[in-house]
């Protein structure tokens, strides 16, 4: 079954440059808890206790326990139909790029190759001494250390930390030059990512939002598709499959 999109909007999607901005909600249907939902990550933990540099310097053990728990969760889940639909849209050259706020690897495991990860990757570590980055083999039982002796941290952007200037500039550039932006599963609360829909809109892009509830972004949307992404994205994809 298709999702009803007006003919001129479909033509715009087929001819124009389309990018997607994704948030934790796209991974919700895989079973990954979101940040602010009712079973959200922040419910069990206090954000100021965990995803900040000061929390890590004060209590690296607790921060690693949280990330290890999230990694356990991540290796136990698989990409859902929303991730696969976006990967298919990339293959069909309808979707040029995904800009993701997510630190999971579900887009990549679904086959997406063109992705900008604004907030880093939970399956990679970074050494706080020599900055060496590597993929984590398995969820650590204790604080992991680099061969240089330095303590390892998750290779993610914490609150109060700047995004990589290169990645941030590229994301802003993509938002300013796209014709269409699909916005999937984000509350639009976290900055500077939350600037991206405003930049796209200001430059005349068509905004299609997929979410289960209205968000701070919804007033900007040309289409608001209220359903779980794992249901709505395959129906959206069906518009491009003869
Ligand atoms: C920075 C990695 C400069 C860690 C994360 C203005 C400008 C710049 C900064 C700020 C600013 N205003 C405030 C700030 C500070 C801060 C910020 O934004 N705070 C917020 C809380 C107000 N920003 C920063 O600190 C950023 N740094 O700008 O540096 C600087 C330097 C020094 C001092 C000041 C500034 C860094 C932000 C990055 C933080 N790191 N992640 C980790 O994951 O452990 S952010 C974290 O939140 C995740 O990455 C997550 O993706 C992200 C955003 O949340 P969402 O993805 O939107 O998820 P959420 O749960 O909120 O929403 C889920 C949505 O899905 C909901 O809408 C729900 O309805 C929907 N949904 C649920 N189920 C489904 C669904 N949709 C579809 N289908 C479903 N089934
Ligand atoms: Zn090191």
């Amino acid at each position: 079954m298709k999702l009803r999109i007006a003919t001129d909007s479909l033509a715009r999607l087929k001819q124009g440059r389309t990018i997607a901005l994704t948030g934790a909600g796209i991974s919700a249907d895989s079973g990954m808890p979101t940040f602010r939902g009712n079973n959200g990550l922040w419910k069990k933990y206090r954000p100021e206790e965990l995803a900040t540099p000061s929390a890590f310097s004060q209590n690296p053990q607790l921060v690693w326990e949280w990330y290890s728990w999230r990694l356990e969760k991540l290796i136990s889940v698989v990409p859902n139909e929303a991730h696969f639909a976006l990967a298919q849209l990339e293959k069909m050259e309808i979707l040029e790029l995904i800009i993701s706020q997510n630190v999971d690897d579900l887009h990549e495991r679904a086959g997406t190759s063109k992705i900008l990860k604004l907030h880093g990757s939970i399956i990679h570590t970074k050494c706080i001494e020599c900055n060496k980055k590597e993929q984590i083999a398995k969820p650590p039982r204790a604080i992991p250390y680099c061969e240089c002796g330095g303590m390892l941290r998750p290779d993610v952007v914490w609150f109060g930390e700047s995004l990589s200037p290169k990645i941030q500039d590229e994301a802003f550039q993509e938002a300013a030059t796209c014709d269409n932006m699909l916005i999937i599963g984000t509350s639009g609360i976290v900055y500077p990512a939350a600037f991206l829909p405003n930049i796209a809109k200001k430059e005349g892009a068509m905004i299609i939002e997929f979410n289960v509830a209205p968000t701070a972004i919804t007033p900007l949307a040309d289409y608001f598709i209220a359903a779980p992404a794992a249901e709505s994205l395959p129906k959206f994809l069906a518009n491009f499959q003869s």
Side-chain angles (χ1 to χ4, degrees):
M1 189 178 107
K2 282 185 183 170
L3 188 104
R4 254 193 51 67
I5 300 271
T7 323
D8 58 338
S9 304
L10 270 185
R12 199 179 154 136
L13 286 157
K14 287 177 184 165
Q15 281 131 33
R17 182 171 178 76
T18 301
I19 66 173
L21 172 65
T22 64
I26 198 167
S27 300
D29 293 315
S30 294
M32 286 305 284
T34 61
F35 283 76
R36 295 164 190 86
N38 40 28
N39 73 339
L41 286 170
W42 299 131
K43 281 276 171 304
K44 295 188 186 64
Y45 300 89
R46 295 176 300 284
E48 65 287 347
E49 270 296 304
L50 294 161
T52 62
S54 54
F56 187 70
S57 55
Q58 277 157 29
N59 194 340
Q61 177 65 33
L62 174 69
V63 172
W64 263 116
E65 273 168 25
W66 182 47
Y67 280 94
S68 202
W69 174 78
R70 288 170 66 185
L71 275 164
E72 292 283 359
K73 192 86 190 128
L74 182 54
I75 49 184
S76 72
V77 302
V78 292
N80 65 61
E81 286 311 312
H83 296 108
F84 288 116
L86 290 185
Q88 188 54 27
L89 284 166
E90 177 188 346
K91 278 193 192 60
M92 297 164 75
E93 299 185 349
I94 300 278
L95 181 65
E96 301 291 334
L97 171 74
I98 292 178
I99 300 175
S100 189
Q101 301 171 84
N102 299 342
V103 292
D104 64 46
D105 62 343
L106 295 173
H107 281 305
E108 296 89 333
R109 279 159 60 187
T112 284
S113 56
K114 291 186 275 182
I115 183 166
L116 261 185
K117 295 178 80 74
L118 298 177
H119 299 154
S121 157
I122 197 171
I123 64 167
H124 291 87
T125 54
K126 181 168 72 173
C127 173
I128 62 170
E129 300 300 336
C130 72
N131 226 16
K132 183 168 173 257
K133 293 191 180 191
E134 53 193 351
Q135 180 144 345
I136 201 158
K138 59 184 179 11
R141 291 264 157 272
I143 298 173
Y145 286 86
C146 173
E147 68 241 3
C148 83
M151 191 188 290
L152 295 180
R153 58 165 281 181
D155 185 21
V156 298
V157 179
W158 277 325
F159 289 100
E161 290 186 320
S162 301
L163 279 63
S164 129
K166 182 174 168 307
I167 292 180
Q168 182 167 330
D169 293 349
E170 204 178 322
F172 276 43
Q173 184 58 22
E174 288 290 349
T177 52
C178 69
D179 298 300
N180 313 300
M181 181 182 269
L182 313 179
I183 302 176
I184 306 146
T186 181
S187 57
I189 292 174
V190 171
Y191 285 86
F195 285 130
L196 297 172
N198 297 285
I199 294 168
K201 186 75 183 178
K202 201 163 72 47
E203 298 301 329
M206 176 170 69
I207 305 279
I208 306 184
E209 184 180 23
F210 300 79
N211 202 309
V212 291
T215 68
I217 296 164
T218 309
L220 300 175
D222 298 282
Y223 290 88
F224 176 70
I225 294 144
E231 270 172 42
S232 54
L233 278 174
K235 289 181 189 155
F236 176 74
L237 168 66
N239 283 290
F240 305 95
Q241 294 166 321
S242 40

